[in-house]
Amino acid sequence: MTESKKTANVFVEHRQLIIQTIRDVFPGVDEAALARVNVEPPRDPSHGDLASNAAFAVAKSVGKASKEFAALIADHVKIKAQVSVSGTDVAGAGFLNISLREDYLQKQIVEILKAGEAYGDSAIGAGRRVNVEYVSANPTGPMHVGHCRGAVVGDALANLLAKAGFAVTKEYYVNDAGAQVAALGWASYWRYLRVIEPNLEEWTAEQVERRFGVTLQYRGDYLVAVGEALAEHHGASMAPQRVEGAPSAAQAAAGVASALELGWFVDRAWLDAARERAVAMMMIAIREDLALLGVNQEVFLSERALVEANATDAAITALEGKGLLYEGVLEPPKGKTPDDWEPRPQLLFRSTQFGDDVDRPLKKSDGSNTYFANDIACHADKLRRGYDLLIDVWGADHGGYVSRMGAAVKALSDGRVPLEVVLCQIVHVMKAGEPVRMSKRAGTYVTLRDLIEEVGRDAVRFTMLTRKSDAQMEFDLDKVVEQTRENPVFYVQYAHARCRSVLRQAGEPEVAKLATAPLEHLRDKAELDLIRRLISWPRVVEAAALAREPHRVAFFLHDLAADFHVLWNRGREDSTLRFIREDEPEATAARLALVAATASVIRSGLGVMGVTPVEEMR
């Protein structure tokens, strides 16, 4: 673990102290063993403020029993760190527990006030270049609630990694090639026909499907605007043409003639125009919806642009140059019977050499590239741009894709660049105890815009982070707007609003002045517990970033809010603990410093989550 830091981190500080103590007591100690030393909060708060596994990590390498080693190091740490450590203890088979001095805890308030919302910033990422790709929905319709969770998780993870010292790029991979986008072109063309054709009965969806052997799978009203835009630009020039008898060779080569009912001709160029206009308009809508959610990615990489630039062929050639391609016949997929399976030679990638369970095809039966081949090109492009780490945020339904994509990245980067995939489970939207399923505009699902308009951006973002991403969740529209302790969005926002209320009542004291407050007045258990929670924020940032788990930030903020609310209520029960007491200016100054520090850390955490802190609750 990198030890450099941007703001005060008591866990890193005391880890360094323990490691240096071990070096002093055992010169020449194995550095690899020292690298395994951790410092974290003890499971039981009664055991102190910090706990270390130092004995389990190092004792064997110096020929000591764990408990004996821990006792020896505990004595030296207590002597070496008298400024910060009030006591040490050995628990169990050799855990080293450390209790911190009250005055040391109190002084950490100054560190928080000086850093402001930058408190918790870390250099653990050491500037490593990370590409975080998330959302990446097909541009075939509005963003829906299924996309929402991945959007929030990906955006918060990117923010978290940036706070931890990584150089982060936020990316959206536009899946604008393939069968689904081709189907979008047909659906948009049908909407165009509905605008230009005065005899609408001639071009019902069913008739279009029958005449041209297609399926209009996208029938939501959101494509009406695409049809109107096509009609405005092209007029009636793209109307289907009647064909007397069989289409000519030129017509057959240039267009799509009815396979089931002769008499109509559609130029493929018209379908291309419909597809291109639809994709462009869908991406505008998608960007607008994401902006409503507070998501603004820097890079939008087009699958079609990669294909047209021969990037897929180049990636295949690169794999071929590494001796990783061959012609072969795959076994039938699991669950298939021989009647369902037609074995045939295919161009296969040796993905099993890199941990996949089977080798993967890169070409379809018609010679075109598979979706997987295009996705390889996408990741090859990222590697070309020089990233040190690739992170993809996918829906859980893509879980089976993880091993093959990881194999491709390993192969292309010669194992230098890891690919990590964060999976997001489905979200069930509920209202009045019943599932919410429909959106008039989209036709079959709840749109992201619907959700934001119902409860607000901040409630959406915070709620999506209240569970680990790979766990299914219910998004209850009624509960996320309740002003109760059971609603974590309200509970955390209310804590910040209370902090701001106190500071306004005190006349908005300057931070520089609060940093000079006599903090020795903060002696009550609730005050010290709140300080202990505050100083754990830098460690939460690092641990959550390394685990790729932004939901830990939501959990931390909920616990921090709980500690603050406890202190608030203590002041109502015991007047001597009130934040503002005219008869005790020094104690008031110290408590205002604590309140300001609390507000600052809450804002720091909400900033990672992409949630706006509220000034007051209405």
Side-chain angles (χ1 to χ4, degrees), residues 153-174:
V153 169
D155 205 53
L157 176 57
N159 294 341
L160 178 62
L161 291 168
K163 191 169 183 68
F166 293 85
V168 181
T169 297
K170 301 178 179 181
E171 184 155 328
Y172 186 120
Y173 178 46
V174 184

PDB file of all heavy atoms in Angstrom, residues 153-174:
ATOM      1  N   VAL A 153     -23.474   4.172  -9.855  1.00  0.00           N
ATOM      2  CA  VAL A 153     -22.337   3.419  -9.305  1.00  0.00           C
ATOM      3  C   VAL A 153     -21.049   3.788 -10.044  1.00  0.00           C
ATOM      4  O   VAL A 153     -20.014   4.051  -9.427  1.00  0.00           O
ATOM      5  CB  VAL A 153     -22.600   1.904  -9.385  1.00  0.00           C
ATOM      6  CG1 VAL A 153     -21.326   1.115  -9.071  1.00  0.00           C
ATOM      7  CG2 VAL A 153     -23.716   1.507  -8.416  1.00  0.00           C
ATOM      8  N   GLY A 154     -21.118   3.824 -11.377  1.00  0.00           N
ATOM      9  CA  GLY A 154     -19.927   4.153 -12.151  1.00  0.00           C
ATOM     10  C   GLY A 154     -19.432   5.561 -11.883  1.00  0.00           C
ATOM     11  O   GLY A 154     -18.228   5.795 -11.727  1.00  0.00           O
ATOM     12  N   ASP A 155     -20.362   6.515 -11.804  1.00  0.00           N
ATOM     13  CA  ASP A 155     -19.970   7.902 -11.589  1.00  0.00           C
ATOM     14  C   ASP A 155     -19.385   8.094 -10.193  1.00  0.00           C
ATOM     15  O   ASP A 155     -18.361   8.772 -10.027  1.00  0.00           O
ATOM     16  CB  ASP A 155     -21.188   8.808 -11.785  1.00  0.00           C
ATOM     17  CG  ASP A 155     -20.801  10.220 -12.181  1.00  0.00           C
ATOM     18  OD1 ASP A 155     -20.050  10.378 -13.159  1.00  0.00           O
ATOM     19  OD2 ASP A 155     -21.247  11.171 -11.503  1.00  0.00           O
ATOM     20  N   ALA A 156     -20.028   7.497  -9.190  1.00  0.00           N
ATOM     21  CA  ALA A 156     -19.512   7.623  -7.826  1.00  0.00           C
ATOM     22  C   ALA A 156     -18.167   6.921  -7.682  1.00  0.00           C
ATOM     23  O   ALA A 156     -17.267   7.411  -6.981  1.00  0.00           O
ATOM     24  CB  ALA A 156     -20.517   7.050  -6.828  1.00  0.00           C
ATOM     25  N   LEU A 157     -18.000   5.771  -8.343  1.00  0.00           N
ATOM     26  CA  LEU A 157     -16.724   5.068  -8.293  1.00  0.00           C
ATOM     27  C   LEU A 157     -15.624   5.914  -8.922  1.00  0.00           C
ATOM     28  O   LEU A 157     -14.513   6.009  -8.394  1.00  0.00           O
ATOM     29  CB  LEU A 157     -16.839   3.721  -9.004  1.00  0.00           C
ATOM     30  CG  LEU A 157     -15.538   2.907  -9.118  1.00  0.00           C
ATOM     31  CD1 LEU A 157     -14.933   2.649  -7.746  1.00  0.00           C
ATOM     32  CD2 LEU A 157     -15.807   1.594  -9.846  1.00  0.00           C
ATOM     33  N   ALA A 158     -15.930   6.542 -10.051  1.00  0.00           N
ATOM     34  CA  ALA A 158     -14.939   7.410 -10.696  1.00  0.00           C
ATOM     35  C   ALA A 158     -14.563   8.574  -9.785  1.00  0.00           C
ATOM     36  O   ALA A 158     -13.376   8.923  -9.652  1.00  0.00           O
ATOM     37  CB  ALA A 158     -15.488   7.923 -12.028  1.00  0.00           C
ATOM     38  N   ASN A 159     -15.559   9.188  -9.137  1.00  0.00           N
ATOM     39  CA  ASN A 159     -15.285  10.279  -8.189  1.00  0.00           C
ATOM     40  C   ASN A 159     -14.425   9.793  -7.026  1.00  0.00           C
ATOM     41  O   ASN A 159     -13.503  10.487  -6.573  1.00  0.00           O
ATOM     42  CB  ASN A 159     -16.593  10.841  -7.640  1.00  0.00           C
ATOM     43  CG  ASN A 159     -17.438  11.523  -8.700  1.00  0.00           C
ATOM     44  OD1 ASN A 159     -16.934  11.899  -9.759  1.00  0.00           O
ATOM     45  ND2 ASN A 159     -18.717  11.686  -8.432  1.00  0.00           N
ATOM     46  N   LEU A 160     -14.745   8.612  -6.530  1.00  0.00           N
ATOM     47  CA  LEU A 160     -14.022   8.036  -5.401  1.00  0.00           C
ATOM     48  C   LEU A 160     -12.568   7.769  -5.765  1.00  0.00           C
ATOM     49  O   LEU A 160     -11.647   8.092  -4.999  1.00  0.00           O
ATOM     50  CB  LEU A 160     -14.716   6.741  -4.971  1.00  0.00           C
ATOM     51  CG  LEU A 160     -14.095   5.934  -3.836  1.00  0.00           C
ATOM     52  CD1 LEU A 160     -14.074   6.747  -2.550  1.00  0.00           C
ATOM     53  CD2 LEU A 160     -14.883   4.636  -3.632  1.00  0.00           C
ATOM     54  N   LEU A 161     -12.349   7.189  -6.937  1.00  0.00           N
ATOM     55  CA  LEU A 161     -10.984   6.912  -7.379  1.00  0.00           C
ATOM     56  C   LEU A 161     -10.192   8.209  -7.553  1.00  0.00           C
ATOM     57  O   LEU A 161      -9.002   8.275  -7.219  1.00  0.00           O
ATOM     58  CB  LEU A 161     -11.006   6.126  -8.685  1.00  0.00           C
ATOM     59  CG  LEU A 161     -11.509   4.677  -8.587  1.00  0.00           C
ATOM     60  CD1 LEU A 161     -11.754   4.106  -9.976  1.00  0.00           C
ATOM     61  CD2 LEU A 161     -10.518   3.812  -7.820  1.00  0.00           C
ATOM     62  N   ALA A 162     -10.849   9.240  -8.069  1.00  0.00           N
ATOM     63  CA  ALA A 162     -10.174  10.531  -8.224  1.00  0.00           C
ATOM     64  C   ALA A 162      -9.782  11.093  -6.859  1.00  0.00           C
ATOM     65  O   ALA A 162      -8.677  11.632  -6.694  1.00  0.00           O
ATOM     66  CB  ALA A 162     -11.081  11.509  -8.969  1.00  0.00           C
ATOM     67  N   LYS A 163     -10.654  10.960  -5.879  1.00  0.00           N
ATOM     68  CA  LYS A 163     -10.340  11.460  -4.527  1.00  0.00           C
ATOM     69  C   LYS A 163      -9.194  10.664  -3.906  1.00  0.00           C
ATOM     70  O   LYS A 163      -8.439  11.194  -3.091  1.00  0.00           O
ATOM     71  CB  LYS A 163     -11.584  11.394  -3.628  1.00  0.00           C
ATOM     72  CG  LYS A 163     -11.408  12.141  -2.309  1.00  0.00           C
ATOM     73  CD  LYS A 163     -12.721  12.278  -1.571  1.00  0.00           C
ATOM     74  CE  LYS A 163     -12.547  13.088  -0.272  1.00  0.00           C
ATOM     75  NZ  LYS A 163     -12.231  14.514  -0.529  1.00  0.00           N
ATOM     76  N   ALA A 164      -9.077   9.407  -4.324  1.00  0.00           N
ATOM     77  CA  ALA A 164      -8.007   8.557  -3.791  1.00  0.00           C
ATOM     78  C   ALA A 164      -6.704   8.704  -4.562  1.00  0.00           C
ATOM     79  O   ALA A 164      -5.746   7.968  -4.307  1.00  0.00           O
ATOM     80  CB  ALA A 164      -8.450   7.090  -3.801  1.00  0.00           C
ATOM     81  N   GLY A 165      -6.650   9.634  -5.522  1.00  0.00           N
ATOM     82  CA  GLY A 165      -5.386   9.931  -6.168  1.00  0.00           C
ATOM     83  C   GLY A 165      -5.152   9.270  -7.513  1.00  0.00           C
ATOM     84  O   GLY A 165      -4.039   9.308  -8.032  1.00  0.00           O
ATOM     85  N   PHE A 166      -6.197   8.657  -8.099  1.00  0.00           N
ATOM     86  CA  PHE A 166      -6.074   8.100  -9.443  1.00  0.00           C
ATOM     87  C   PHE A 166      -6.396   9.192 -10.467  1.00  0.00           C
ATOM     88  O   PHE A 166      -7.166  10.117 -10.178  1.00  0.00           O
ATOM     89  CB  PHE A 166      -7.037   6.929  -9.639  1.00  0.00           C
ATOM     90  CG  PHE A 166      -6.728   5.710  -8.817  1.00  0.00           C
ATOM     91  CD1 PHE A 166      -7.188   5.606  -7.508  1.00  0.00           C
ATOM     92  CD2 PHE A 166      -5.980   4.671  -9.341  1.00  0.00           C
ATOM     93  CE1 PHE A 166      -6.910   4.478  -6.734  1.00  0.00           C
ATOM     94  CE2 PHE A 166      -5.691   3.539  -8.579  1.00  0.00           C
ATOM     95  CZ  PHE A 166      -6.157   3.443  -7.271  1.00  0.00           C
ATOM     96  N   ALA A 167      -5.826   9.076 -11.658  1.00  0.00           N
ATOM     97  CA  ALA A 167      -6.168   9.972 -12.766  1.00  0.00           C
ATOM     98  C   ALA A 167      -7.261   9.287 -13.577  1.00  0.00           C
ATOM     99  O   ALA A 167      -6.998   8.313 -14.282  1.00  0.00           O
ATOM    100  CB  ALA A 167      -4.949  10.246 -13.625  1.00  0.00           C
ATOM    101  N   VAL A 168      -8.480   9.768 -13.466  1.00  0.00           N
ATOM    102  CA  VAL A 168      -9.656   9.037 -13.932  1.00  0.00           C
ATOM    103  C   VAL A 168     -10.238   9.657 -15.203  1.00  0.00           C
ATOM    104  O   VAL A 168     -10.377  10.880 -15.307  1.00  0.00           O
ATOM    105  CB  VAL A 168     -10.741   9.003 -12.834  1.00  0.00           C
ATOM    106  CG1 VAL A 168     -11.970   8.224 -13.314  1.00  0.00           C
ATOM    107  CG2 VAL A 168     -10.191   8.378 -11.560  1.00  0.00           C
ATOM    108  N   THR A 169     -10.608   8.797 -16.147  1.00  0.00           N
ATOM    109  CA  THR A 169     -11.383   9.190 -17.320  1.00  0.00           C
ATOM    110  C   THR A 169     -12.732   8.483 -17.250  1.00  0.00           C
ATOM    111  O   THR A 169     -12.785   7.261 -17.072  1.00  0.00           O
ATOM    112  CB  THR A 169     -10.670   8.803 -18.628  1.00  0.00           C
ATOM    113  OG1 THR A 169      -9.440   9.503 -18.726  1.00  0.00           O
ATOM    114  CG2 THR A 169     -11.541   9.133 -19.842  1.00  0.00           C
ATOM    115  N   LYS A 170     -13.805   9.258 -17.400  1.00  0.00           N
ATOM    116  CA  LYS A 170     -15.156   8.696 -17.413  1.00  0.00           C
ATOM    117  C   LYS A 170     -15.583   8.485 -18.868  1.00  0.00           C
ATOM    118  O   LYS A 170     -15.556   9.430 -19.647  1.00  0.00           O
ATOM    119  CB  LYS A 170     -16.134   9.646 -16.714  1.00  0.00           C
ATOM    120  CG  LYS A 170     -15.789   9.944 -15.262  1.00  0.00           C
ATOM    121  CD  LYS A 170     -16.792  10.937 -14.663  1.00  0.00           C
ATOM    122  CE  LYS A 170     -16.498  11.234 -13.204  1.00  0.00           C
ATOM    123  NZ  LYS A 170     -17.486  12.171 -12.602  1.00  0.00           N
ATOM    124  N   GLU A 171     -15.993   7.267 -19.193  1.00  0.00           N
ATOM    125  CA  GLU A 171     -16.240   6.944 -20.601  1.00  0.00           C
ATOM    126  C   GLU A 171     -17.580   6.238 -20.803  1.00  0.00           C
ATOM    127  O   GLU A 171     -18.062   5.491 -19.940  1.00  0.00           O
ATOM    128  CB  GLU A 171     -15.109   6.059 -21.133  1.00  0.00           C
ATOM    129  CG  GLU A 171     -15.208   5.747 -22.611  1.00  0.00           C
ATOM    130  CD  GLU A 171     -13.852   5.419 -23.241  1.00  0.00           C
ATOM    131  OE1 GLU A 171     -12.825   5.978 -22.789  1.00  0.00           O
ATOM    132  OE2 GLU A 171     -13.821   4.614 -24.185  1.00  0.00           O
ATOM    133  N   TYR A 172     -18.151   6.480 -21.970  1.00  0.00           N
ATOM    134  CA  TYR A 172     -19.391   5.836 -22.428  1.00  0.00           C
ATOM    135  C   TYR A 172     -19.081   5.202 -23.779  1.00  0.00           C
ATOM    136  O   TYR A 172     -18.645   5.875 -24.702  1.00  0.00           O
ATOM    137  CB  TYR A 172     -20.487   6.906 -22.564  1.00  0.00           C
ATOM    138  CG  TYR A 172     -21.881   6.409 -22.894  1.00  0.00           C
ATOM    139  CD1 TYR A 172     -22.939   6.657 -22.028  1.00  0.00           C
ATOM    140  CD2 TYR A 172     -22.146   5.759 -24.083  1.00  0.00           C
ATOM    141  CE1 TYR A 172     -24.222   6.234 -22.334  1.00  0.00           C
ATOM    142  CE2 TYR A 172     -23.435   5.326 -24.392  1.00  0.00           C
ATOM    143  CZ  TYR A 172     -24.473   5.576 -23.508  1.00  0.00           C
ATOM    144  OH  TYR A 172     -25.733   5.164 -23.811  1.00  0.00           O
ATOM    145  N   TYR A 173     -19.308   3.895 -23.882  1.00  0.00           N
ATOM    146  CA  TYR A 173     -19.108   3.181 -25.140  1.00  0.00           C
ATOM    147  C   TYR A 173     -20.449   3.108 -25.852  1.00  0.00           C
ATOM    148  O   TYR A 173     -21.390   2.466 -25.378  1.00  0.00           O
ATOM    149  CB  TYR A 173     -18.564   1.782 -24.862  1.00  0.00           C
ATOM    150  CG  TYR A 173     -18.343   0.915 -26.082  1.00  0.00           C
ATOM    151  CD1 TYR A 173     -17.710   1.413 -27.213  1.00  0.00           C
ATOM    152  CD2 TYR A 173     -18.738  -0.420 -26.086  1.00  0.00           C
ATOM    153  CE1 TYR A 173     -17.482   0.610 -28.327  1.00  0.00           C
ATOM    154  CE2 TYR A 173     -18.520  -1.232 -27.183  1.00  0.00           C
ATOM    155  CZ  TYR A 173     -17.894  -0.715 -28.304  1.00  0.00           C
ATOM    156  OH  TYR A 173     -17.684  -1.512 -29.400  1.00  0.00           O
ATOM    157  N   VAL A 174     -20.565   3.782 -26.991  1.00  0.00           N
ATOM    158  CA  VAL A 174     -21.822   3.875 -27.722  1.00  0.00           C
ATOM    159  C   VAL A 174     -21.968   2.653 -28.623  1.00  0.00           C
ATOM    160  O   VAL A 174     -21.254   2.511 -29.622  1.00  0.00           O
ATOM    161  CB  VAL A 174     -21.880   5.161 -28.571  1.00  0.00           C
ATOM    162  CG1 VAL A 174     -23.244   5.283 -29.242  1.00  0.00           C
ATOM    163  CG2 VAL A 174     -21.593   6.389 -27.710  1.00  0.00           C
TER     164      VAL A 174
END
